[in-house]
Amino acid sequence: MASIESEANRNHYAAIAANAGRLTSPQAIIDHNDVHWTALTGEPRGVDYIEVDAGGVPAMWVMPKGADEQRVLFYAHGGGFIGGSIYTHRKLVGHLAKAVGCRALVYDYPLAHQAKHPAQLEAAMAAWNWLVDQGFDPRRIVIAGDSCGAVLTYGVLQRLRAQGRPLPVATLIISGWFDMAMTAASYETNREKDPAFAKAGVDWLAANFIGDADRRDPEVSALYADLSGFPPVFLQAGADETLVDESRMFAERARQAGVETRLDVFDGMLHSFQMMAGRAPEADDAIARFATWVRPRLGLPAAGGKSSERAA
């Protein structure tokens, strides 16, 4: 049974749906998210934030006290390409980086009213190139994102592979948006459970992002990508969200491609419920699962243990 605290996420999406007619400009949507989405997340203690220019891309170092400085979580925030920023997501990334025990870099990109695809992916690649140019080894980088951040995460992986460059060591995805063709059955089966992501609304988000481009282009819909050779992936989704079957379908495609894959679906939860980290037990549990899974892949010890590889 969902906790009382977790209702904040459901109430947030219900409020977005109720206010949809009033949020009539891109800036109104941005402002609403800045105020209300950010407030869902508890402030993680012992985390510093430093804004940087990452190859021309606004970004933020998220640095937990005592964290390993050579290992990095490279994070693409969600928001449907109409909202979200390094500021709305800094606390979520702070909780995740703190649990893993490494620093993180969360980056911004143009929203859809500013530029259409592939401008967002180009920003993601610029931030990745900047990170690697700072001397960070891809074998000590985890690439991650929530919602539309999955588009950029797998876009970066595809471009790196096409260029013959080293890939990060692992992937973490929260409520991934994998299929702009919108073939998931959960758009109907969860239609009454999810107050925010009706199929018509997601269709508008896709058109707003890519215009008349191919909805099955692998760079915007990773469900149709060649996933062979990609790093292990841990996917999380809420059982009540309309996008949940996209994660299920993607997990099956990844397994068929030989990718080590884990998918955890959380009962009673909606889209990106991990934004309630520090306030709701379900979100804290999800963050802890990510950390337990990814730490050994980064060569970091289990909590309270010793590393098999000395941090350097």
Side-chain angles (χ1 to χ4, degrees), residues 17-289:
N19 287 298
R22 301 174 189 172
L23 303 177
T24 56
S25 71
Q27 192 59 50
I29 295 170
I30 292 167
D31 291 344
H32 185 89
N33 279 320
D34 283 349
V35 172
H36 300 285
W37 206 14
T38 306
L40 289 181
T41 318
E43 189 72 57
R45 306 282 180 153
V47 180
D48 293 329
Y49 305 93
I50 301 174
E51 294 183 48
V52 292
D53 180 329
V57 175
M60 182 184 291
W61 278 120
V62 179
M63 305 175 69
K65 301 292 187 184
D68 186 283
E69 296 187 353
Q70 300 302 317
R71 290 159 173 83
V72 181
L73 178 72
F74 182 72
Y75 196 92
H77 68 78
F81 299 114
I82 61 172
S85 70
I86 59 177
Y87 306 107
T88 60
H89 280 63
R90 68 166 181 84
K91 291 184 289 181
L92 168 62
V93 178
H95 281 284
L96 184 54
K98 185 176 178 180
V100 173
C102 69
R103 62 167 63 189
L105 185 74
V106 55
Y107 61 91
D108 265 336
Y109 45 80
L111 298 180
H113 72 280
Q114 299 168 319
K116 303 302 182 189
H117 171 76
Q120 295 75 13
L121 181 51
E122 290 166 354
M125 285 300 302
W128 174 270
N129 292 337
W130 178 86
L131 179 62
V132 173
D133 287 346
Q134 303 308 298
F136 291 96
D137 185 342
R139 293 171 299 178
R140 293 180 174 179
I141 300 174
V142 173
I143 192 167
D146 65 282
S147 191
C148 71
V151 176
L152 304 183
T153 296
Y154 275 92
V156 167
L157 289 173
Q158 290 176 75
R159 289 201 174 185
L160 291 175
R161 182 179 59 191
Q163 294 167 10
R165 297 170 61 187
L167 301 180
V169 71
T171 310
L172 306 176
I173 299 292
I174 293 170
S175 293
W177 192 12
F178 292 115
D179 181 17
M180 292 194 187
M182 302 186 345
T183 63
S186 50
Y187 281 108
E188 293 303 321
T189 58
N190 279 348
R191 182 164 50 93
E192 300 300 323
K193 297 178 181 179
D194 189 333
F197 293 95
K199 191 171 186 178
V202 179
D203 180 68
W204 180 86
L205 289 173
N208 188 52
F209 174 52
I210 62 171
D212 295 328
D214 182 3
R215 296 281 185 101
R216 297 180 189 240
D217 177 349
E219 283 200 347
V220 299
S221 292
L223 183 65
Y224 307 102
D226 173 9
L227 305 177
S228 59
F230 280 168
V233 58
F234 186 171
L235 307 148
Q236 294 184 355
D240 287 358
E241 61 175 302
T242 56
L243 273 73
V244 63
D245 282 352
E246 294 197 9
S247 289
R248 291 178 174 130
M249 293 188 296
F250 184 84
E252 182 58 29
R253 285 288 316 280
R255 292 185 184 110
Q256 291 174 355
V259 176
E260 179 188 344
T261 303
R262 173 173 170 177
L263 168 62
D264 286 7
V265 176
F266 292 75
D267 289 343
M269 293 295 102
L270 287 172
H271 194 71
S272 299
F273 69 90
Q274 294 84 348
M275 282 290 282
M276 297 182 294
R279 299 197 191 278
E282 293 90 346
D284 291 340
D285 174 40
I287 297 295
R289 294 188 199 188

